[in-house]
Amino acid sequence: QVQLVESGGGLVQAGGSLRLSCAVSGRTGRTVNNYAMGWFRQAPGKEREFVAALSWKDRHTEYAGSVKGRFTISRDNIQNTVYLQMNMLKPEDTAAYYCAAAIAGWAGSSEGAYHYWGQGTQVTVSS
């Protein structure tokens, strides 16, 4: 079983930055580099939506149009952690953010392609 634990959420003013972390653990012999990773978010009263994805071995990334140019997904294989750097935050970025992992080279924006999910971390952006 793989565990994903998100951290780094909080309250920030519009225009500010946050970095979310997702610590990956659980399967012996596998590191975060063995998974395709993704970030999704869910705002109150809305469906969960795709934010960013990173392929196995970091060869490919994909971003939702609403965050492109402001958010960056990356990973640290030594720390077994995936990050979401969020800059120029807007009130509409307010949501619970979820990390996801897929036992695949690439999973992209489809929720169904991911096998493991974290519990989420709340991001609130004030205007």
Side-chain angles (χ1 to χ4, degrees), residues 13-33:
Q13 288 190 329
S17 297
L18 281 175
R19 188 177 77 160
L20 305 184
S21 299
C22 173
V24 181
S25 64
R27 287 194 68 169
T28 303
R30 296 185 74 97
T31 70
V32 69
N33 197 41

Side-chain angles (χ1 to χ4, degrees), residues 36-51:
M37 302 298 299
W39 285 95
F40 292 76
R41 66 186 182 187
Q42 187 168 21
K46 295 187 177 181
E47 302 219 342
R48 189 156 58 186
E49 64 175 7
F50 168 75
V51 176

Side-chain angles (χ1 to χ4, degrees), residues 42-102:
Q42 187 168 21
K46 295 187 177 181
E47 302 219 342
R48 189 156 58 186
E49 64 175 7
F50 168 75
V51 176
L54 178 64
S55 69
W56 185 40
K57 298 186 179 180
D58 300 350
R59 287 175 181 158
H60 184 63
T61 57
E62 181 181 348
Y63 295 92
S66 59
V67 308
K68 193 174 293 184
R70 300 188 297 123
F71 291 11
T72 302
I73 186 171
S74 63
R75 81 174 85 212
D76 184 327
N77 294 325
I78 296 175
Q79 298 294 326
N80 240 14
T81 300
V82 174
Y83 301 100
L84 185 68
Q85 178 67 44
M86 306 186 297
N87 299 326
M88 296 182 288
L89 283 161
K90 304 175 181 179
E92 50 264 43
D93 294 319
T94 295
Y97 283 71
Y98 298 89
C99 175

